[in-house]
Amino acid sequence: QVQLVQSGAEVKKPGSSVKVSCKASGGTFSSSAISWVRQAPGQGLEWMGGSIPILGTVNYAQKFQGRVTITADESRSTAYMELSSLRSEDTAVYYCARGSPAMDFWGQGTLVTVSP
Amino acid sequence: DIQMTQSPSSVSASVGDRVTITCRASQDISRWLAWYQQKPGKAPKLLIFAASSLQSGVPSRFSGSGSGTDFTLTISRLQPEDFATYYCQQANSFPPWTFGQGTKVEIK
């Protein structure tokens, strides 16, 4: 059974960066597409970007271009999402999810709070 | 980007009811559509992919249909555990994958 386990909640200052990790087990990490999806409080789902480690491909939503960096460490079966220049509107739960285009396994979510 | 519009935004229903949720794409996405269920404080769960294919382990009371721009998710006989928010996602044009705004199924 595939499991995605994310790092813990973060509180960040405006203008800083956050890096969230997503460790996979039970599947073939390097050949799986991993997406990052966020959900602001009381809001819907927003796809930020995704990668396929074995292909070395990464794609980002235009909205986050230049602020988000998605990487993967195949040796650790772990994907990372770093978001920079944080502002209050980035307060959200950030999810990693496996699969593309349909995302069949999801991490538990990481709450990132941006507050002065 | 392809815009996804769900209707209604919320629906009140009783256990045993048939519930239908509609998702419309701003352009033709063939059958590249997925449906997810999300309960409060939990990650989304994949229900349907490729418009009508049931994800493994999902009860058969869930079904999906449609192609092109218009899609539906039907819950044939609503169960207590089905009260949740449902999202559609287009899987045709990338990047980005885009989601509908969600439909909340509430207890009547």
Side-chain angles (χ1 to χ4, degrees):
Chain A
Q1 177 76 336
V2 173
Q3 263 202 312
L4 301 176
V5 179
Q6 298 183 223
S7 49
E10 302 260 14
V11 179
K12 294 291 183 180
K13 301 285 188 190
S16 66
S17 299
V18 67
K19 191 170 187 177
V20 179
S21 67
C22 170
K23 182 171 176 58
S25 61
T28 309
F29 174 78
S30 61
S31 61
S32 298
I34 297 288
S35 285
W36 290 89
V37 176
R38 78 176 187 180
Q39 187 170 38
Q43 302 300 308
L45 303 169
E46 183 174 34
W47 184 86
M48 300 176 67
S51 70
I52 302 177
I54 199 170
L55 299 180
T57 57
V58 183
N59 290 279
Y60 300 114
Q62 180 90 7
K63 174 178 178 176
F64 299 100
Q65 284 275 4
R67 275 214 305 146
V68 66
T69 304
I70 291 171
T71 56
D73 182 340
E74 292 181 58
S75 68
R76 297 176 186 267
S77 297
T78 301
Y80 301 91
M81 185 283 299
E82 184 170 20
L83 187 63
S84 62
S85 302
L86 289 169
R87 35 212 189 222
S88 58
E89 311 90 89
D90 294 318
T91 293
V93 175
Y94 290 77
Y95 294 101
C96 62
R98 190 197 79 156
S100 184
M103 291 165 262
D104 57 357
F105 289 97
W106 294 65
Q108 82 278 18
T110 297
L111 175 62
V112 175
T113 303
V114 183
S115 178
Chain B
D1 298 354
I2 296 177
Q3 306 303 314
M4 306 301 292
T5 304
Q6 288 181 233
S7 60
S9 55
S10 66
V11 56
S12 294
S14 301
V15 172
D17 284 353
R18 181 184 182 90
V19 172
T20 298
I21 298 168
T22 297
C23 180
R24 175 164 288 175
S26 61
Q27 64 189 69
D28 189 338
I29 60 170
S30 184
R31 293 177 59 81
W32 292 103
L33 186 99
W35 289 96
Y36 300 86
Q37 175 194 67
Q38 187 180 33
K39 296 181 179 178
K42 300 293 187 183
K45 173 187 173 183
L46 178 65
L47 299 176
I48 302 276
F49 62 95
S52 60
S53 296
L54 200 65
Q55 175 68 359
S56 175
V58 174
S60 59
R61 63 181 179 272
F62 290 94
S63 64
S65 65
S67 66
T69 60
D70 294 312
F71 302 85
T72 58
L73 173 70
T74 299
I75 310 171
S76 60
R77 283 178 300 279
L78 201 63
Q79 297 299 300
E81 60 268 30
D82 301 336
F83 291 98
T85 301
Y86 294 83
Y87 294 93
C88 62
Q89 175 224 332
Q90 68 84 13
N92 180 71
S93 177
F94 170 87
W97 303 134
T98 47
F99 294 88
Q101 79 278 17
T103 295
K104 188 173 184 179
V105 177
E106 301 174 298
I107 300 172
K108 196 173 199 176

